[in-house]
């Protein structure tokens, strides 16, 4: 991406309230995922791997952990003299303080930042999704089509289509219509919330959108439909790969479990597209005599004496003897004490499952979320 | 501890390690699944607040530079102080002398310009999590010119022959340091680490250059021992003195003992190393892993017992690994067996191949070596 300057704006202020206690203290992009990552690592690593030099991170909801996780961006090589990463929280001005009211508003409030960067293109990303994407391919397509806006879309199962923003296109993939969560979708092409804009155009429409008092200041709901209505050239760019929006505790659990499937398409071991994260520098994991670990992802610092099946352990988890962890996701610094049983659970960071305690049910459809607040079932 | 410079003396004898040290100095040997030996020395100094560290790299400097970089992993990439890498140079001296003392001498500007008044010298091949705050306090309060650190080492089987033996007077003063011949069940093993006043250090180095009698700092100190107050500080924790292949192999396998692993990995701060961004390790349905230390980024489909598995290793179905050290990115293919062996980085043991050494003399698979059945 040397020829043309792209600035990415990563929306990381979401609460993710349907993740319940997982987002009690942290924003959704900071939720741990896949044994050693946080959700935002995927978008950040994609940006770094795609050769994007400048990125702004828009934070709002409970940002402390997110801020300390990102730091100055060194894990993603964004600690640079020229360009790099900036965290962009809401701020006060002469007119008082304002929170970001929507996705478009968050970018609108940072027009000064973007003016200073003066990019040709602005790439809007969400920090909520798990996927690997080469954004430079999106830019190539955007330029080839001579588009004003390019939107990454993907095919979703027809039965799920009504949960997404659906994009209707003509034969050249030119967008002719948006439908926000339609009851009877005409199409199963869902917008992924990833947009490549020409900055000049975007700037104009952000101001227009801000002047409209009835707008929710949302890209999907307001800005994009307005641009389409006014005849801007918008193209869909079809993405074919693993993508997950972990909206609920159950889909969070499922997305984690996907990683245990040997045929999963989110290949974390691909050395050409690594997912980077802030690491804790812990010693290797230890599996004791008598332990049984099958079909599991285990991270550094874990100490296992018991049984672990179909599960994902984050760092520094201790599983004592005769304890059993099956079909579960266990976050960092948890202890599963002697003889305890954990089935189909998501255990939050730092929890102790007491000796002999039983959590969850083996043959159930439900998922049990364990946190300081107790156990919630979904 | 900010008053103290840290010095890592990387000069060492590499021919005790066979193929493992053809391309790397001993202190760069991969250790404990994800570290290099030097990480322990660097991390311990940093964890006790030493902020300026000089590393005398020895000649095989490339792997050192690749690993240590600018010291970032240890927070030593400072604008003020931080890490100084000193590869060997021979300028400024009439005769070509590349030993320890000439290397210190050629960096005399470094010692003159830094404001620290004391130096802590250590050898990265000896792993010991010495409480440097306490040791330094002892050194300062006893007003010694030099404090050497030792451990009372049990040695009923003579395993520590040829290590440094320290003879200590009743008053705790160091009488001399020689070579252990295994004549005692317990002896005072000199850990090749100690504190010196910087002025004393500089004086010793300059005098040694002028006199030309020795290029070795310890020898030089002992030749001048009557001029200085040299006392001793006992370290009571666990020590790994890595001096040959056997001790390297044993030190790795010792980490399977909980108390040793706890002390080396966790006591007084963790060990830092260059991160590799490997994902977690995946154990498949067929994996059986017992009493083993496994780093991240591995895919384990076979059987592993009493072994140390480094980052990014692949062990395929039906393969068996026992009492072995498998270094980074090595692969052990279907139904192969690797017993009592050390596999250097990126080695491959092919399908159905069986290799085995003994626990006294482990079999070595060299870096990038492929062993296949023809």
């Amino acid at each position: 991406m040397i020829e043309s300057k792209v600035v990415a704006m990563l929306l990381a202020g979401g609460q993710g309230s349907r993740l319940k206690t997982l987002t009690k203290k942290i924003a959704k992009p900071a939720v741990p995922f896949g044994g050693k990552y946080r959700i935002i690592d995927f978008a950040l690593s994609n940006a770094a791997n795609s050769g994007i030099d400048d990125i702004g991170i828009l934070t709002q909801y409970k940002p402390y952990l997110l801020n300390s996780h990102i730091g100055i961006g060194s894990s993603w090589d964004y600690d640079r003299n020229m360009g790099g990463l900036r965290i962009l929280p809401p701020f006060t001005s002469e007119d008082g303080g304002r929170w970001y009211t929507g996705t478009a508003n968050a970018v609108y409030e940072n027009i000064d930042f973007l003016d200073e960067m003066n990019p040709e293109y602005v790439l809007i990303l969400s920090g909520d999704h798990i996927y690997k994407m080469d954004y430079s391919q999106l830019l190539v397509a955007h330029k080839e089509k001579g588009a004003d806006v390019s939107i990454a879309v993907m095919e979703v199962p027809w039965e799920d289509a009504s949960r997404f923003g659906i994009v209707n296109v003509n034969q050249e993939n030119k967008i002719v219509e948006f439908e926000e969560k339609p009851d009877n979708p005409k199409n199963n092409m869902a917008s992924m919330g990833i947009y490549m804009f020409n900055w000049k155009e975007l700037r104009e429409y952000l101001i227009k959108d801000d002047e409209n008092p009835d707008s929710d200041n949302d890209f999907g709901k307001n800005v994009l439909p307005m641009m389409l209505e006014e005849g801007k050239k918008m193209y869909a760019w079809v993405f074919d790969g693993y993508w997950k929006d972990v909206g609920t505790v159950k889909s969070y659990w499922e997305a984690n479990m996907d990683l245990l499937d040997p045929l999963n398409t989110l290949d974390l071991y691909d050395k050409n597209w690594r997912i980077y994260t802030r690491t804790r520098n812990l010693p290797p994991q230890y599996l004791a005599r008598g332990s049984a670990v099958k079909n599991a992802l285990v991270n550094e610092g874990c100490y296992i004496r018991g049984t672990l099946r179909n599960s994902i352990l984050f760092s520094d988890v201790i599983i004592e003897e005769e304890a059993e962890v099956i079909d579960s996701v266990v976050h960092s610094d948890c202890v599963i004490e002697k003889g305890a049983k954990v089935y189909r659970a998501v255990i939050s960071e730092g929890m102790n499952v007491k000796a002999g305690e039983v959590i969850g049910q083996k043959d159930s459809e439900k998922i049990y979320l364990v946190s300081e607040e107790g156990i919630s079932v979904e | 501890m900010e008053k103290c410079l840290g010095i890592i003396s990387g000069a060492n004898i590499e021919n005790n390690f066979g193929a493992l040290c053809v391309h790397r100095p001993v202190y760069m040997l991969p250790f404990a699944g994800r570290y290099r030996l030097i990480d322990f020395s660097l991390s311990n100094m940093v964890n006790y607040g030493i902020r300026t560290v000089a590393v005398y790299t020895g000649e095989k400097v490339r792997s050192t530079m690749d690993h240590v970089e600018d010291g970032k992993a240890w927070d030593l990439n400072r604008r003020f102080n931080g890490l100084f890498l000193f590869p060997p140079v021979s300028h400024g001296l009439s005769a070509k002398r590349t030993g320890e003392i000439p290397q210190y001498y050629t960096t005399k500007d470094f010692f003159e310009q830094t404001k620290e008044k004391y130096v802590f010298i250590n050898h990265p091949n000896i792993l010991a999590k010495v409480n440097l705050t306490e040791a330094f306090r002892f050194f300062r309060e006893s007003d010694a010119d030099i404090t050497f650190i030792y451990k009372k080492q049990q040695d009923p089987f003579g395993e520590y022959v040829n290590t440094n033996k320290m003879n200590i007077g009743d008053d705790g003063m160091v009488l001399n340091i020689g070579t252990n011949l295994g004549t005692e069940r317990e002896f005072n093993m000199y850990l090749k680490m100690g504190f010196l006043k910087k002025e004393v250090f500089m004086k010793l180095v300059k005098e040694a250059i002028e006199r030309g009698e020795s290029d070795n700092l310890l020898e030089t100190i002992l030749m001048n021992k009557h001029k200085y107050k040299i006392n001793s500080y006992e370290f009571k924790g666990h020590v790994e003195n890595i001096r040959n292949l056997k001790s390297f192999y044993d030190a790795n396998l010792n980490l399977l003992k909980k108390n040793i692993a706890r002390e080396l990995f966790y006591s007084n701060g963790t060990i830092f190393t260059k991160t590799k961004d490997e994902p977690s390790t995946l154990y498949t349905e067929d994996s059986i892993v017992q009493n083993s230390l496994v780093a991240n980024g591995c895919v384990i489909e076979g059987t592993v017992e009493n072994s140390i598995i480094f980052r990014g290793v692949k062990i395929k179905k039906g393969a068996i690994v026992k009492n072995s050290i498998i270094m980074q990115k090595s692969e052990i293919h279907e139904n192969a067996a690797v017993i009592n062996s050390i596999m250097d980085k990126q080695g491959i043991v092919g399908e159905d191949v069986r290799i085995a050494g003994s626990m006294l003399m482990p079999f070595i698979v060299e870096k990038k070596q492929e062993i296949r059945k023809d």
Side-chain angles (χ1 to χ4, degrees):
Chain A
M1 288 205 179
I2 301 160
E3 325 77 65
S4 40
K5 187 164 175 183
V6 181
V7 172
M9 297 293 268
L10 204 166
L11 301 161
Q15 179 185 358
S17 52
R18 287 177 302 153
L19 287 171
K20 297 181 179 167
T21 52
L22 285 177
T23 53
K24 185 167 181 276
K25 288 182 185 157
I26 57 180
K28 179 172 168 189
V31 169
F33 182 81
K36 67 174 291 190
Y37 307 100
R38 297 192 183 270
I39 293 174
I40 197 172
D41 293 340
F42 290 87
L44 268 174
S45 301
N46 286 340
N49 287 330
S50 300
I52 289 175
D53 293 335
D54 291 278
I55 187 164
I57 317 248
L58 300 145
T59 59
Q60 175 152 293
Y61 175 81
K62 299 192 177 174
Y64 168 71
L65 198 136
L66 200 53
N67 288 344
S68 69
H69 177 68
I70 296 168
I72 56 168
S74 46
S75 301
W76 301 270
D77 264 349
Y78 273 125
D79 52 333
R80 304 182 186 192
N81 284 330
M82 287 173 290
L85 174 147
R86 286 87 164 172
I87 292 191
L88 304 170
F91 51 88
T92 59
S93 66
E94 306 85 340
D95 316 322
R98 288 196 286 181
W99 296 106
Y100 295 151
T101 56
T103 52
N105 176 256
V107 179
Y108 169 81
E109 292 287 351
N110 289 287
I111 278 185
D112 284 349
F113 164 72
L114 284 164
D115 279 345
E116 197 186 300
M117 296 277 108
N118 192 27
E120 269 181 79
Y121 306 100
V122 171
L123 173 65
I124 306 293
L125 301 170
S126 153
D128 286 357
H129 303 146
I130 291 145
Y131 65 108
K132 296 203 288 191
M133 183 190 283
D134 186 350
Y135 305 132
S136 68
Q137 299 295 319
L138 174 60
L139 181 67
V140 168
H142 182 76
K143 284 190 200 168
E144 272 174 10
K145 299 275 188 189
D148 295 313
V149 190
S150 295
I151 299 178
V153 301
M154 70 177 296
E155 252 181 80
V156 294
W158 277 99
E159 62 268 27
D160 295 339
S162 56
R163 295 200 291 117
F164 291 93
I166 296 296
V167 172
N168 294 319
V169 295
N170 71 11
Q171 278 171 341
E172 281 90 50
N173 273 340
K174 190 167 184 214
I175 298 170
V176 295
E177 190 189 6
F178 289 108
E179 292 181 290
E180 192 62 25
K181 299 181 182 164
D183 292 334
N184 298 302
K186 296 180 198 140
N187 193 342
N188 64 339
M189 285 292 179
S191 165
M192 300 169 70
I194 298 163
Y195 317 117
M196 184 73 78
F197 287 98
N198 294 344
W199 168 231
K200 271 189 202 149
E201 243 88 41
L202 175 62
R203 191 179 192 284
E204 188 185 315
Y205 280 90
L206 286 175
I207 293 169
K208 250 189 198 178
D209 176 65
D210 185 63
E211 284 163 356
N212 175 4
D214 300 327
S215 173
D216 290 334
N217 309 119
D218 184 86
F219 278 111
K221 254 199 248 169
N222 311 104
V223 176
L224 292 169
M226 174 164 66
M227 289 178 89
L228 186 66
E229 210 170 286
E230 299 194 4
K232 293 291 158 193
K233 276 203 277 181
M234 304 174 100
Y235 283 89
W237 179 73
V238 182
F239 172 76
D240 177 26
Y242 186 93
W243 181 83
K244 205 127 205 178
D245 178 7
V246 286
T248 62
V249 175
K250 188 152 191 193
S251 71
Y252 170 80
W253 176 86
E254 280 167 357
N256 274 285
M257 289 297 148
D258 283 348
L259 297 175
L260 296 175
D261 179 354
L263 300 175
N264 91 77
T265 46
L266 187 80
D267 180 7
L268 292 175
Y269 297 85
D270 180 4
K271 296 202 163 49
N272 297 317
W273 205 270
R274 277 197 197 277
I275 304 303
Y276 302 104
T277 188
R278 187 187 192 88
T279 52
R280 291 178 64 191
N281 242 316
L282 292 166
Q285 51 206 263
Y286 175 77
L287 277 64
R289 198 167 291 288
S291 69
V293 177
K294 308 263 183 194
N295 199 28
L297 267 179
V298 182
N299 196 10
E300 289 165 341
C302 288
Y303 193 91
I304 305 176
R305 307 195 83 92
T307 298
L308 181 70
R309 268 174 200 282
N310 296 327
S311 294
I312 292 177
L313 300 190
F314 284 69
S315 54
D316 252 351
V317 174
I318 297 170
I319 299 184
E320 295 181 352
E321 57 266 47
E322 292 157 45
E324 210 172 85
V325 175
I326 295 175
D327 300 323
S328 296
V329 178
V330 184
H331 289 176
S332 298
D333 304 318
C334 288
V335 181
I336 314 298
E337 292 180 5
K338 191 176 172 183
K341 314 273 183 226
V342 175
Y343 307 114
R344 297 181 67 82
V346 175
I347 316 250
S348 306
E349 203 166 316
M351 297 298 299
N352 263 29
V353 178
K354 295 272 170 291
E357 197 177 338
V358 179
I359 286 170
Q361 261 183 321
K362 224 176 196 167
D363 309 303
S364 153
E365 287 296 299
K366 298 201 169 70
I367 300 301
Y368 300 78
L369 172 62
V370 182
S371 70
E372 285 166 3
E373 322 264 290
I375 302 175
S376 75
V377 186
E378 186 166 295
Chain B
M1 288 304 289
E2 64 277 7
K3 292 179 190 152
C4 194
L5 290 174
I7 294 175
I8 292 184
S9 168
N12 42 56
I13 303 147
E14 280 144 17
N15 46 17
N16 285 344
F17 293 86
L20 294 182
C21 285
V22 174
H23 301 289
R24 58 169 80 96
V26 178
Y27 65 81
M28 280 298 296
L29 276 172
F31 183 71
R34 61 189 294 272
Y35 305 98
R36 305 289 183 137
L37 292 182
I38 195 175
D39 295 345
F40 288 76
S41 158
L42 279 171
S43 302
N44 206 46
M45 287 196 279
V46 167
N47 283 334
Y48 282 104
I50 292 179
R51 293 289 171 258
T52 308
V53 175
V55 179
Y56 291 85
T57 61
E59 285 189 5
K60 293 166 186 168
V61 66
R62 287 189 188 168
S63 68
T64 314
M65 288 171 69
D66 180 55
H67 177 71
V68 178
E69 298 178 312
D70 59 353
K72 191 171 183 172
W74 301 270
D75 273 348
L76 286 171
N77 55 335
R78 302 291 91 194
R79 290 182 61 206
F80 310 111
N81 311 323
L83 180 78
F84 294 80
L85 279 189
F86 293 128
V89 287
S90 57
H91 69 76
L93 296 172
S94 49
K96 189 180 187 316
R97 288 167 65 180
T98 52
E100 192 183 5
I101 291 270
Q103 290 313 310
Y104 294 143
Y105 180 73
T106 54
T107 54
K108 67 179 190 309
D109 288 353
F110 165 76
F111 291 100
E112 283 163 4
Q113 280 162 18
T114 44
K115 59 181 190 298
E116 288 88 344
K117 289 198 170 63
Y118 309 98
V119 294
F120 171 66
I121 297 191
N122 67 124
H123 269 253
N125 308 353
I126 295 183
L127 312 185
K129 292 195 93 175
V130 177
N131 185 325
L132 297 182
T133 307
E134 276 178 20
F136 185 64
R137 190 182 301 134
F138 172 82
F139 164 65
R140 294 287 299 119
E141 283 173 4
S142 62
D143 197 34
D145 294 308
I146 300 169
T147 295
F148 283 134
I149 300 172
Y150 72 99
K151 177 183 165 71
K152 284 194 175 123
Q153 181 66 51
Q154 297 286 328
D155 187 24
F157 307 112
E159 288 173 89
Y160 288 88
V161 167
N162 281 340
T163 57
N164 287 121
K165 178 175 181 169
M166 192 192 276
N167 296 303
I168 303 168
D170 293 334
D171 52 359
M173 293 297 149
V174 174
L175 302 174
N176 48 53
I177 295 176
T179 303
N180 175 40
L181 296 178
T183 50
E184 292 172 291
R185 285 180 72 88
E186 184 188 87
F187 74 106
N188 296 327
M189 183 164 69
Y190 169 49
L191 300 182
K192 296 189 180 178
M193 59 175 84
F195 291 95
L196 293 89
K197 287 181 179 158
K198 192 164 82 176
E199 51 180 304
V200 171
F201 172 78
M202 289 305 291
K203 201 164 176 241
L204 285 163
V205 168
K206 284 178 184 167
E207 281 176 8
I209 290 287
E210 282 194 335
R211 290 158 65 150
E213 285 167 347
S214 174
D215 281 355
N216 178 288
L217 181 65
L218 181 61
E219 270 176 29
T220 304
I221 291 170
L222 293 175
M223 282 191 278
N224 291 287
K225 66 185 175 196
H226 302 299
K227 293 188 203 160
Y228 301 107
K229 183 176 176 186
I230 308 174
N231 63 11
S232 58
Y233 177 84
E234 187 189 353
F235 171 63
K236 295 195 166 110
H238 184 74
V239 171
E240 294 293 353
N241 184 342
I242 294 170
R243 59 208 180 275
N244 51 32
L245 209 52
K246 171 82 167 79
S247 58
F248 171 70
Y249 177 74
D250 290 346
N252 271 286
L253 294 189
N254 272 343
L255 293 167
L256 300 175
K257 293 168 191 152
K258 189 175 180 180
N259 52 344
I260 293 177
R262 285 273 133 189
E263 179 176 338
L264 280 181
F265 289 147
Y266 288 101
S267 70
N268 307 317
T270 54
I271 308 300
F272 302 102
T273 189
K274 186 182 178 184
T275 56
K276 293 279 190 201
D277 296 289
E278 294 280 2
S280 299
T281 281
L282 180 68
Y283 298 89
T284 67
E285 204 52 50
D286 302 302
S287 79
I288 300 169
V289 180
Q290 302 283 288
N291 190 36
S292 293
L293 210 52
V294 184
N296 265 2
C298 299
V299 179
I300 315 275
E301 301 173 77
T303 301
V304 179
E305 219 184 308
N306 304 331
S307 293
I308 312 288
I309 312 293
F310 281 68
R311 295 189 273 205
V313 167
K314 295 195 163 59
I315 298 173
K316 308 272 190 197
K317 257 188 202 174
I320 294 174
V321 176
K322 231 176 164 174
N323 309 329
S324 293
I325 299 163
I326 313 295
M327 293 183 190
Q328 302 91 295
K329 294 181 190 164
S330 289
E331 294 179 19
I332 296 163
H333 291 175
E334 284 80 356
N335 304 315
V338 175
I339 320 275
N340 304 335
S341 299
I342 300 175
M343 273 181 84
D344 203 341
K345 286 167 71 174
Q346 294 161 298
I348 294 179
V349 173
E351 250 179 84
D352 299 318
V353 173
R354 276 140 211 276
I355 59 170
S358 79
M359 290 191 82
L360 291 173
M361 187 62 101
F363 185 91
I364 308 285
V365 178
E366 292 176 30
K367 186 174 167 182
K368 293 188 179 170
Q369 188 183 355
E370 294 186 22
I371 306 180
R372 299 196 190 266
K373 217 162 203 177
D374 29 43

